[in-house]
Amino acid sequence: EDQVTQSPEALRLQEGESSSLNCSYTVSGLRGLFWYRQDPGKGPEFLFTLYSAGEEKEKERLKATLTKKESFLHITAPKPEDSATYLCAVSASGGSYIPTFGRGTSLIVHP
Amino acid sequence: EAQVTQNPRYLITVTGKKLTVTCSQNMNHEYMSWYRQDPGLGLRQIYYSMNVEVTDKGDVPEGYKVSRKEKRNFPLILESPSPNQTSLYFCASSLSEGYIPYGYTFGSGTRLTVV
């Protein structure tokens, strides 16, 4: 069974304090790994797709990396507006490639 | 603006009263999906559609129906809602090119309360 585990569940940072969120996965064959940002009461917003180990993507203060077992979302010098829940999802080979979502990491950045 | 539109945004209904939540996308996406999100359980897929007239069950399909008669629309139907279907619902769409998965565009959500 495909599994996606995100850690930590919650993270509090001071503004400017860089950190990383983790997404570890167990799938039969990875087709793609996705990162989303979700603000309270709103739909998730797509951030990145990573397709193969070694791939990296960047957007403003966010950088996503991928290995064969996990992905990291690095947040450099975060600002209060980066506060949100970050979701990871994995699409595996076989069948319809329905993505499996992790439960998310709730990030709060204090000014 | 490229978007997925869900209606209504909020809905309170009584047990057993049939309801439909509409979803429409303007990006010509082949793939559409419905999720529910509950505290502690995360996002769980209800149904998905690979294209017009092609639908299949997700992880939690019981008590729900869908149809895909047009490419842009993917309504979610609750024939006889029950209190355990109280949840936050999201519609999502994406491109579908062979077996290459693309990121979803999500709607703004429908908060459903069944009393």
Side-chain angles (χ1 to χ4, degrees), chain A residues 31 36 38 41 51 97-98 103, chain B residues 9 37 40 45 48 101 104:
Chain A
R31 281 200 181 133
Y36 293 86
Q38 186 175 24
Y51 292 107
Y97 69 83
I98 298 172
R103 297 188 180 183
Chain B
R9 187 80 172 85
Q37 188 173 40
Q45 190 171 60
Y48 66 95
Y104 282 131

Side-chain angles (χ1 to χ4, degrees), chain B residues 12-54:
Chain B
I12 300 174
T13 190
V14 297
T15 299
K17 185 177 181 181
K18 181 179 178 180
L19 66 92
T20 299
V21 183
T22 64
C23 173
S24 180
Q25 51 94 3
N26 62 0
M27 296 164 284
N28 202 35
H29 285 169
E30 294 84 6
Y31 189 89
M32 296 187 75
S33 183
W34 276 103
Y35 286 86
R36 61 178 290 174
Q37 188 173 40
D38 302 288
L41 296 177
L43 278 164
R44 294 180 293 168
Q45 190 171 60
I46 303 170
Y47 269 94
Y48 66 95
S49 170
M50 299 292 285
N51 214 323
V52 176
E53 303 292 359
V54 181

Side-chain angles (χ1 to χ4, degrees), chain A residues 14-83:
Chain A
Q14 288 297 126
E15 184 172 2
E17 180 187 2
S18 301
S19 187
S20 296
L21 313 182
N22 178 264
C23 173
S24 63
Y25 61 91
T26 305
V27 296
S28 55
L30 181 70
R31 281 200 181 133
L33 185 142
F34 309 90
W35 283 99
Y36 293 86
R37 169 197 169 120
Q38 186 175 24
D39 293 303
K42 295 188 176 181
E45 175 189 349
F46 171 71
L47 294 173
F48 306 109
T49 306
L50 301 168
Y51 292 107
S52 58
E55 191 174 358
E56 299 181 351
K57 295 257 178 91
E58 286 189 67
K59 180 180 180 179
E60 296 180 353
R61 295 177 293 282
L62 301 177
K63 179 180 178 180
T65 62
L66 180 65
T67 72
K68 289 185 178 180
K69 294 183 178 181
E70 58 191 349
S71 176
F72 291 94
L73 185 65
H74 307 278
I75 303 177
T76 302
K79 298 181 178 182
E81 53 261 44
D82 294 322
S83 299

Side-chain angles (χ1 to χ4, degrees), chain B residues 7-108:
Chain B
N7 280 297
R9 187 80 172 85
Y10 300 93
L11 179 60
I12 300 174
T13 190
V14 297
T15 299
K17 185 177 181 181
K18 181 179 178 180
L19 66 92
T20 299
V21 183
T22 64
C23 173
S24 180
Q25 51 94 3
N26 62 0
M27 296 164 284
N28 202 35
H29 285 169
E30 294 84 6
Y31 189 89
M32 296 187 75
S33 183
W34 276 103
Y35 286 86
R36 61 178 290 174
Q37 188 173 40
D38 302 288
L41 296 177
L43 278 164
R44 294 180 293 168
Q45 190 171 60
I46 303 170
Y47 269 94
Y48 66 95
S49 170
M50 299 292 285
N51 214 323
V52 176
E53 303 292 359
V54 181
T55 63
D56 209 345
K57 297 177 181 178
D59 298 321
V60 288
E62 293 77 21
Y64 304 95
K65 285 177 58 177
V66 293
S67 67
R68 187 93 181 270
K69 293 182 170 54
E70 304 168 283
K71 196 172 187 178
R72 65 183 294 124
N73 296 323
F74 191 44
L76 179 69
I77 303 159
L78 284 72
E79 294 270 2
S80 182
S82 62
N84 64 12
Q85 293 179 297
T86 293
S87 186
L88 180 58
Y89 291 86
F90 290 105
C91 180
S93 73
S94 74
L95 288 172
S96 172
E97 294 183 358
Y99 291 103
I100 301 173
Y102 291 88
Y104 282 131
T105 300
F106 279 85
S108 299

